[in-house]
Amino acid sequence: MVQKHHHRWLSRTLCLAIGSILAAGNLWAQSAPLTLKQAFEAAWSRQPEAQSLSERREAAEARRQSAESWTAEPPSLEVSAKTDQLNKNQGSREYVAGIALPLWLPGERSRTGALADAESRATASRALGAQLRTAATVREAWWAWQRARIEKGLAQERLNGARQLAADVVRRVKAGDLARSDQHQADGAAAAAEVALAEANTALATATQQLRALTGVAPSSQGADVSAAGEPAPAVPADFAALDTSHPAVIELLNRAEVARRGAELAEVQTRANPELTLATTRDRGMFGDPYQQTVTVGIRFPFGSESRNRAKAGLARAEAIEAEGQLRLERERLIADLEAARVRVESAQQQLTAADKRAQLARQSRGFFEKSFRLGESDLPTRLRIELEAAEGERQAARARIDLAAAVSLLRQTLGLLPE
């Protein structure tokens, strides 16, 4: 009995411990900041291409195995019986059992295997291309959310400073140091800061919902800073030709063109239906009392070709090959232009960040000077409000410049065909 109670107590303790661990894990998942890589992985898991990828791989493997078989189609079994039992009933009997083997046309088997291999590679590259397209959408939504989050934080800081200044002005108005009109100006600046915060909250809510629609996860507004949220800067190749073997968009179109070419080559040899080799055995007798005779039949069936059907099939395959090769050429040209534009954008964003940081630093120093002079009565309130507005705008421009640089690096990685890290 004691041992039974001991096992029951141990089971209850283990259940409570597991429940606590799961609850702690859920709490951590809710409180941990979302990263760009996690957002991409969550968005990719929701894509139809990701959910159907395993089935497409199995279908490609099945086509490859079918191309390795010895017959063009599965063999078929034929069984028949003939009797005169329903009319003369003289004992005539005939039983036939045979098998039909569809044969490959000359060159059809090797070209079918080549097409199956090309389709298998195309299935893998299609998934990589879909991942890259998903990454582009996630990156765009991610940096829009980061901008909105930074804007909201700056608007909150501006409102806090405006309220503190308004409270200071109220005290000085009561003391007779400032006029009532100064209080109205300070209150107006605080009201304008409230409007800006409300607009920032709306923009942040919109960006959050857009990111949530992609990932299925609501990101925390207390996310990581820009330096942690950004991606590492990639190495830009001197020659884009090297990307033909690594860029998912180019590889996807290359494999599509290869599939179309292999399909056209297969259509050139499939000028007719597959011939069939027939092997049959027959057991028959003429009437009652006659012994059964055994015979073997070997035959082959050659279907006639249809020129119009073959011409349509081959023409469609060649058209798809031409279309895929044309898309590949246009995609290469577009990627070269996008790569150069993304590289220039990163350089420009770096220059803008340097200038914005310098402006923000000068604006902070000026704000400190005028804040001190305003307390000493050496400067008026309109000047103080202008300096505060300039300092807030400088901080905002610097923060946006940091976001723009991180987004430019992310776009450069996207152009190079790199997934989020």
Side-chain angles (χ1 to χ4, degrees), residues 81-114:
K82 183 172 68 175
T83 178
D84 65 348
Q85 189 174 2
L86 299 180
N87 41 28
K88 297 180 181 180
N89 197 20
Q90 295 179 354
S92 176
R93 300 290 187 272
E94 182 182 86
Y95 304 99
V96 180
I99 186 171
L101 303 174
L103 303 178
W104 293 105
L105 293 168
E108 183 184 15
R109 184 184 181 190
S110 61
R111 298 189 181 188
T112 300

Side-chain angles (χ1 to χ4, degrees), residues 46 80-81 92 95 104 184 210 227 278 307 346 360-361 412 415:
R46 293 161 55 88
S80 63
S92 176
Y95 304 99
W104 293 105
H184 289 173
Q210 290 177 350
S227 60
T278 303
E307 183 179 358
V346 171
Q361 182 180 2
L412 180 59
T415 307

Side-chain angles (χ1 to χ4, degrees), residues 77-340:
L77 177 65
E78 178 183 358
V79 177
S80 63
K82 183 172 68 175
T83 178
D84 65 348
Q85 189 174 2
L86 299 180
N87 41 28
K88 297 180 181 180
N89 197 20
Q90 295 179 354
S92 176
R93 300 290 187 272
E94 182 182 86
Y95 304 99
V96 180
I99 186 171
L101 303 174
L103 303 178
W104 293 105
L105 293 168
E108 183 184 15
R109 184 184 181 190
S110 61
R111 298 189 181 188
T112 300
L115 176 60
D117 292 337
E119 288 177 341
S120 180
R121 292 190 295 270
T123 298
S125 62
R126 178 181 178 180
L128 292 177
Q131 282 184 327
L132 188 61
R133 290 187 290 271
T134 302
T137 306
V138 171
R139 279 172 166 139
E140 182 179 359
W142 172 263
W143 293 116
W145 174 70
Q146 288 286 350
R147 289 188 182 93
R149 189 173 65 86
I150 293 298
E151 291 281 357
K152 189 259 184 182
L154 293 174
Q156 184 65 58
E157 292 179 3
R158 178 186 172 188
L159 177 59
N160 295 337
R163 286 176 175 174
Q164 183 178 358
L165 178 60
D168 186 24
V169 170
V170 168
R171 288 192 298 269
R172 296 184 63 177
V173 168
K174 290 180 180 180
D177 295 338
L178 296 176
R180 178 73 64 178
S181 59
D182 292 331
Q183 181 179 348
H184 289 173
Q185 291 183 23
D187 291 341
E194 290 179 359
V195 172
L197 178 60
E199 293 176 349
N201 282 328
T202 301
L204 178 59
T206 302
T208 300
Q209 292 305 318
Q210 290 177 350
L211 186 58
R212 181 177 183 178
L214 286 174
T215 63
V217 180
S220 172
S221 60
Q222 304 296 327
D225 57 13
V226 178
S227 60
E231 299 182 78
V236 180
D239 186 8
F240 186 74
L243 293 179
D244 278 1
T245 58
S246 61
H247 199 288
V250 176
I251 294 175
E252 181 181 9
L253 289 176
L254 280 172
N255 288 335
R256 277 186 55 190
E258 180 67 14
V259 169
R261 285 193 296 268
R262 297 300 184 183
E265 293 174 359
L266 178 61
E268 291 176 356
V269 299
Q270 289 179 331
T271 57
R272 65 185 74 244
N274 295 93
E276 289 186 353
L277 175 65
T278 303
L279 300 175
T281 178
T282 304
R283 189 169 183 267
D284 64 338
R285 71 182 183 185
M287 60 182 60
F288 290 116
D290 292 345
Y292 277 96
Q293 302 294 324
Q294 190 81 22
T295 59
V296 175
T297 303
V298 179
I300 189 168
R301 182 174 67 90
F302 286 100
F304 290 107
S306 175
E307 183 179 358
S308 60
R309 186 181 68 175
N310 178 67
R311 187 170 63 250
K313 186 177 181 181
L316 180 60
R318 287 193 297 269
E320 291 179 352
I322 294 173
E323 180 181 351
E325 291 172 354
Q327 289 179 350
L328 176 60
R329 183 178 62 257
L330 294 176
E331 183 68 14
R332 280 173 170 161
E333 295 175 357
R334 184 189 67 83
L335 287 175
I336 292 175
D338 289 348
L339 178 61
E340 180 62 22

